[in-house]
Amino acid sequence: MTLHFEPVCPENRKEIEELELYPEQSGFIESVPECLAEAEEFSQWRTVGIYDGDILVGFSMYGYFNEPLPEGRLWLDRLLIDKRHQGKGYGKAAVLSLLERLQKEYNCKKVYLSVYGDNKTAIALYQRAGFYFTGEYDTKGEKIMVYDYNLK
C-alpha cells in the first residue's frame, strides 16, 4: 500500500463528499461536506483526499494556526477512512504518511489533534503512531493529543 494525497478540487470533490462512516462513528467527526465548508471559511485549512493508487480511501484536513501565542499550533484536525476501506490498515498508514507530509510542509516540532474520549479505536491508533494526551481539552470537550517530532 502506497498512499498519496490529492488536494480537494472540483474534479474530485463530489467523490470525496460521498465518503461514509458507519452510523456509530458519525458522532466522532463532522461530515466531509461540513469539513469542506469550514475549510472554505478558514484559509488555514488544507483538505486532501487519501488515495491508494487510483482508489479514494479517505479524507483529511489539517492546518497551522497562530494561536496560542507565541508558537501557534499545527492541527491534524480531521481523518476519515471510508467504511468500505476500514480494517485494512489505511488509518495507520494515513496517520504516518500525514505526519511525514506535515513535517515537510510546515517544518513544525509538534502536531496536535483532538479526539472524543469514548473514541477508543481512534485513540489507540493515534497512540500507536506516537501521539500522547496533553491534559488539555478543545472547545468541544475533545481531549487534545500531540505528536512531538523531537521524541521520535
Side-chain angles (χ1 to χ4, degrees):
M1 154 186 346
T2 303
L3 298 184
H4 64 97
F5 306 96
E6 297 293 333
V8 176
C9 63
E11 292 77 24
N12 64 10
R13 184 178 180 122
K14 183 175 178 1
E15 182 182 24
I16 290 172
E17 286 180 332
E18 293 173 353
L19 292 168
E20 294 181 299
L21 294 172
Y22 289 105
E24 61 272 17
Q25 297 170 319
S26 64
F28 294 135
I29 186 171
E30 294 81 352
S31 71
V32 175
E34 289 171 322
C35 294
L36 295 176
E38 184 178 335
E40 289 169 357
E41 189 176 334
F42 299 98
S43 63
Q44 296 94 327
W45 289 126
R46 302 288 177 259
T47 57
V48 294
I50 304 168
Y51 291 84
D52 184 2
D54 293 336
I55 300 169
L56 175 67
V57 298
F59 166 81
S60 186
M61 184 166 114
Y62 59 86
Y64 177 80
F65 291 81
N66 291 326
E67 299 291 329
L69 294 173
E71 294 180 0
R73 287 188 174 175
L74 175 58
W75 288 90
L76 172 53
D77 199 65
R78 313 280 162 75
L79 176 64
L80 177 154
I81 302 298
D82 185 83
K83 68 181 184 181
R84 294 166 290 196
H85 300 290
Q86 291 181 18
K88 300 177 183 178
Y90 286 120
K92 181 179 180 182
V95 170
L96 296 176
S97 295
L98 281 163
L99 286 170
E100 286 180 29
R101 178 185 180 101
L102 296 174
Q103 174 67 19
K104 291 176 187 170
E105 195 169 326
Y106 293 93
N107 195 30
C108 285
K109 295 180 177 105
K110 296 179 180 180
V111 176
Y112 293 84
L113 59 78
S114 60
V115 61
Y116 286 107
D118 57 345
N119 191 348
K120 303 297 184 200
T121 302
I123 290 169
L125 169 68
Y126 295 135
Q127 286 177 325
R128 283 193 306 272
F131 283 87
Y132 59 90
F133 288 106
T134 65
E136 300 170 277
Y137 292 85
D138 73 4
T139 58
K140 295 185 281 184
E142 293 181 56
K143 295 180 174 186
I144 295 177
M145 299 181 84
V146 64
Y147 179 92
D148 188 336
Y149 289 100
N150 294 322
L151 299 178
K152 304 304 163 212

